[in-house]
Short mmCIF file of all heavy atoms in Angstrom, two decimals:
data_model
loop_
_atom_site.label_atom_id
_atom_site.label_comp_id
_atom_site.label_asym_id
_atom_site.label_seq_id
_atom_site.Cartn_x
_atom_site.Cartn_y
_atom_site.Cartn_z
N THR A 18 34.63 -28.47 -26.00
CA THR A 18 35.40 -29.65 -25.63
C THR A 18 36.76 -29.22 -25.07
O THR A 18 37.18 -28.07 -25.22
CB THR A 18 35.63 -30.55 -26.85
OG1 THR A 18 36.50 -29.87 -27.77
CG2 THR A 18 34.33 -30.91 -27.53
N GLN A 19 37.44 -30.18 -24.44
CA GLN A 19 38.77 -29.88 -23.90
C GLN A 19 39.72 -29.46 -25.02
O GLN A 19 40.51 -28.52 -24.85
CB GLN A 19 39.32 -31.10 -23.16
CG GLN A 19 40.52 -30.80 -22.27
CD GLN A 19 40.91 -31.99 -21.42
OE1 GLN A 19 40.76 -33.13 -21.82
NE2 GLN A 19 41.42 -31.73 -20.23
N ASP A 20 39.64 -30.13 -26.17
CA ASP A 20 40.51 -29.76 -27.29
C ASP A 20 40.20 -28.35 -27.79
O ASP A 20 41.12 -27.60 -28.16
CB ASP A 20 40.36 -30.76 -28.44
CG ASP A 20 41.20 -32.01 -28.23
OD1 ASP A 20 42.01 -32.04 -27.27
OD2 ASP A 20 41.05 -32.97 -29.03
N GLU A 21 38.93 -27.97 -27.79
CA GLU A 21 38.57 -26.62 -28.23
C GLU A 21 39.11 -25.56 -27.26
O GLU A 21 39.58 -24.50 -27.68
CB GLU A 21 37.05 -26.49 -28.36
CG GLU A 21 36.50 -27.22 -29.58
CD GLU A 21 34.98 -27.29 -29.60
OE1 GLU A 21 34.36 -27.23 -28.51
OE2 GLU A 21 34.41 -27.42 -30.70
N LEU A 22 39.09 -25.88 -25.98
CA LEU A 22 39.67 -24.96 -24.99
C LEU A 22 41.17 -24.83 -25.20
O LEU A 22 41.75 -23.74 -25.08
CB LEU A 22 39.37 -25.45 -23.57
CG LEU A 22 37.89 -25.46 -23.14
CD1 LEU A 22 37.72 -26.11 -21.78
CD2 LEU A 22 37.32 -24.04 -23.12
N LYS A 23 41.83 -25.94 -25.50
CA LYS A 23 43.27 -25.92 -25.76
C LYS A 23 43.60 -25.09 -27.00
O LYS A 23 44.58 -24.34 -27.03
CB LYS A 23 43.81 -27.35 -25.91
CG LYS A 23 43.79 -28.16 -24.62
CD LYS A 23 44.24 -29.60 -24.86
CE LYS A 23 44.21 -30.39 -23.57
NZ LYS A 23 44.64 -31.80 -23.78
N GLN A 24 42.76 -25.22 -28.02
CA GLN A 24 42.97 -24.42 -29.23
C GLN A 24 42.82 -22.94 -28.94
O GLN A 24 43.57 -22.11 -29.47
CB GLN A 24 41.97 -24.86 -30.31
CG GLN A 24 42.33 -26.19 -30.95
CD GLN A 24 41.28 -26.64 -31.96
OE1 GLN A 24 40.08 -26.51 -31.73
NE2 GLN A 24 41.74 -27.16 -33.09
N GLU A 25 41.86 -22.59 -28.08
CA GLU A 25 41.65 -21.19 -27.73
C GLU A 25 42.89 -20.59 -27.06
O GLU A 25 43.32 -19.49 -27.39
CB GLU A 25 40.43 -21.07 -26.80
CG GLU A 25 39.09 -21.23 -27.48
CD GLU A 25 38.76 -20.06 -28.39
OE1 GLU A 25 38.83 -18.91 -27.92
OE2 GLU A 25 38.48 -20.31 -29.57
N VAL A 26 43.46 -21.32 -26.10
CA VAL A 26 44.63 -20.77 -25.40
C VAL A 26 45.86 -20.78 -26.31
O VAL A 26 46.73 -19.91 -26.20
CB VAL A 26 44.93 -21.51 -24.07
CG1 VAL A 26 43.82 -21.26 -23.08
CG2 VAL A 26 45.16 -22.99 -24.27
N ALA A 27 45.92 -21.74 -27.22
CA ALA A 27 47.03 -21.77 -28.18
C ALA A 27 47.01 -20.54 -29.06
O ALA A 27 48.04 -19.91 -29.31
CB ALA A 27 46.95 -23.04 -29.03
N ARG A 28 45.81 -20.17 -29.50
CA ARG A 28 45.68 -18.95 -30.32
C ARG A 28 46.03 -17.71 -29.51
O ARG A 28 46.70 -16.80 -29.99
CB ARG A 28 44.26 -18.84 -30.88
CG ARG A 28 43.99 -19.71 -32.09
CD ARG A 28 42.69 -19.36 -32.78
NE ARG A 28 41.55 -19.87 -32.06
CZ ARG A 28 40.98 -21.06 -32.29
NH1 ARG A 28 41.47 -21.84 -33.23
NH2 ARG A 28 39.95 -21.46 -31.59
N ALA A 29 45.58 -17.68 -28.25
CA ALA A 29 45.85 -16.52 -27.40
C ALA A 29 47.34 -16.36 -27.11
O ALA A 29 47.83 -15.25 -26.93
CB ALA A 29 45.07 -16.65 -26.09
N ALA A 30 48.07 -17.48 -27.09
CA ALA A 30 49.50 -17.43 -26.77
C ALA A 30 50.34 -16.78 -27.85
O ALA A 30 51.46 -16.32 -27.60
CB ALA A 30 50.02 -18.84 -26.49
N ILE A 31 49.79 -16.71 -29.05
CA ILE A 31 50.55 -16.11 -30.16
C ILE A 31 50.93 -14.67 -29.86
O ILE A 31 51.97 -14.18 -30.29
CB ILE A 31 49.74 -16.22 -31.48
CG1 ILE A 31 49.67 -17.68 -31.94
CG2 ILE A 31 50.35 -15.35 -32.58
CD1 ILE A 31 51.00 -18.31 -32.30
N GLN A 32 50.11 -13.97 -29.07
CA GLN A 32 50.41 -12.56 -28.75
C GLN A 32 51.71 -12.42 -27.95
O GLN A 32 52.29 -11.34 -27.88
CB GLN A 32 49.26 -11.95 -27.95
CG GLN A 32 49.07 -12.54 -26.57
CD GLN A 32 47.91 -11.97 -25.79
OE1 GLN A 32 47.87 -10.76 -25.56
NE2 GLN A 32 46.97 -12.82 -25.40
N TYR A 33 52.17 -13.53 -27.32
CA TYR A 33 53.40 -13.48 -26.53
C TYR A 33 54.64 -13.81 -27.36
O TYR A 33 55.77 -13.70 -26.86
CB TYR A 33 53.31 -14.44 -25.34
CG TYR A 33 52.32 -13.97 -24.30
CD1 TYR A 33 50.98 -14.35 -24.36
CD2 TYR A 33 52.73 -13.13 -23.27
CE1 TYR A 33 50.07 -13.90 -23.42
CE2 TYR A 33 51.82 -12.68 -22.31
CZ TYR A 33 50.49 -13.07 -22.40
OH TYR A 33 49.60 -12.62 -21.47
N VAL A 34 54.44 -14.21 -28.60
CA VAL A 34 55.58 -14.52 -29.47
C VAL A 34 56.24 -13.22 -29.91
O VAL A 34 55.56 -12.31 -30.41
CB VAL A 34 55.13 -15.34 -30.70
CG1 VAL A 34 56.31 -15.58 -31.65
CG2 VAL A 34 54.51 -16.66 -30.26
N VAL A 35 57.54 -13.12 -29.72
CA VAL A 35 58.28 -11.92 -30.12
C VAL A 35 58.83 -12.13 -31.53
O VAL A 35 59.57 -13.09 -31.78
CB VAL A 35 59.44 -11.64 -29.13
CG1 VAL A 35 60.21 -10.39 -29.55
CG2 VAL A 35 58.90 -11.49 -27.71
N GLU A 36 58.43 -11.26 -32.43
CA GLU A 36 58.85 -11.42 -33.83
C GLU A 36 60.36 -11.23 -33.98
O GLU A 36 60.99 -10.49 -33.22
CB GLU A 36 58.10 -10.42 -34.72
CG GLU A 36 56.60 -10.72 -34.79
CD GLU A 36 55.90 -9.94 -35.90
OE1 GLU A 36 56.59 -9.39 -36.78
OE2 GLU A 36 54.66 -9.91 -35.89
N ASN A 37 60.91 -11.93 -34.95
CA ASN A 37 62.35 -11.89 -35.26
C ASN A 37 63.22 -12.38 -34.11
O ASN A 37 64.37 -11.97 -33.98
CB ASN A 37 62.77 -10.48 -35.69
CG ASN A 37 62.02 -10.01 -36.92
OD1 ASN A 37 61.91 -10.76 -37.91
ND2 ASN A 37 61.47 -8.82 -36.87
N GLU A 38 62.63 -13.23 -33.26
CA GLU A 38 63.38 -13.83 -32.15
C GLU A 38 63.17 -15.34 -32.17
O GLU A 38 62.39 -15.88 -32.94
CB GLU A 38 62.89 -13.25 -30.80
CG GLU A 38 63.25 -11.79 -30.59
CD GLU A 38 64.71 -11.57 -30.22
OE1 GLU A 38 65.44 -12.57 -30.06
OE2 GLU A 38 65.11 -10.40 -30.09
N ILE A 39 63.88 -16.02 -31.28
CA ILE A 39 63.75 -17.46 -31.11
C ILE A 39 62.74 -17.72 -30.00
O ILE A 39 62.71 -17.00 -29.01
CB ILE A 39 65.12 -18.08 -30.76
CG1 ILE A 39 66.10 -17.86 -31.92
CG2 ILE A 39 65.00 -19.56 -30.43
CD1 ILE A 39 67.54 -18.01 -31.52
N ILE A 40 61.93 -18.76 -30.17
CA ILE A 40 60.93 -19.09 -29.17
C ILE A 40 61.17 -20.50 -28.65
O ILE A 40 61.53 -21.41 -29.42
CB ILE A 40 59.51 -18.95 -29.74
CG1 ILE A 40 58.46 -19.26 -28.67
CG2 ILE A 40 59.29 -19.83 -30.97
CD1 ILE A 40 57.06 -18.85 -29.03
N GLY A 41 60.98 -20.70 -27.35
CA GLY A 41 61.03 -22.03 -26.76
C GLY A 41 59.64 -22.65 -26.78
O GLY A 41 58.66 -21.98 -26.47
N VAL A 42 59.58 -23.92 -27.15
CA VAL A 42 58.29 -24.59 -27.31
C VAL A 42 58.27 -25.89 -26.51
O VAL A 42 59.20 -26.69 -26.58
CB VAL A 42 57.98 -24.89 -28.79
CG1 VAL A 42 56.59 -25.52 -28.93
CG2 VAL A 42 58.05 -23.61 -29.63
N GLY A 43 57.18 -26.08 -25.77
CA GLY A 43 57.05 -27.24 -24.90
C GLY A 43 56.53 -28.47 -25.61
O GLY A 43 56.53 -28.57 -26.84
N THR A 44 56.07 -29.42 -24.80
CA THR A 44 55.66 -30.74 -25.28
C THR A 44 54.28 -31.09 -24.75
O THR A 44 53.94 -30.75 -23.62
CB THR A 44 56.68 -31.80 -24.81
OG1 THR A 44 57.95 -31.52 -25.40
CG2 THR A 44 56.25 -33.21 -25.20
N GLY A 45 53.49 -31.77 -25.59
CA GLY A 45 52.19 -32.23 -25.15
C GLY A 45 51.08 -31.76 -26.07
O GLY A 45 51.32 -31.03 -27.05
N SER A 46 49.86 -32.14 -25.75
CA SER A 46 48.74 -31.87 -26.64
C SER A 46 48.46 -30.37 -26.80
O SER A 46 48.19 -29.90 -27.90
CB SER A 46 47.48 -32.59 -26.13
OG SER A 46 47.18 -32.18 -24.81
N THR A 47 48.54 -29.61 -25.70
CA THR A 47 48.28 -28.18 -25.80
C THR A 47 49.41 -27.48 -26.56
O THR A 47 49.15 -26.58 -27.38
CB THR A 47 48.11 -27.56 -24.40
OG1 THR A 47 47.21 -28.36 -23.64
CG2 THR A 47 47.54 -26.15 -24.49
#
Side-chain angles (χ1 to χ4, degrees):
T18 67
Q19 194 172 32
D20 278 352
E21 287 171 335
L22 294 174
K23 291 176 180 180
Q24 285 177 318
E25 285 291 307
V26 294
R28 280 192 283 268
I31 290 296
Q32 66 182 302
Y33 290 90
V34 177
V35 180
E36 294 193 14
N37 300 313
E38 291 284 356
I39 297 161
I40 182 167
V42 183
T44 297
S46 58
T47 312

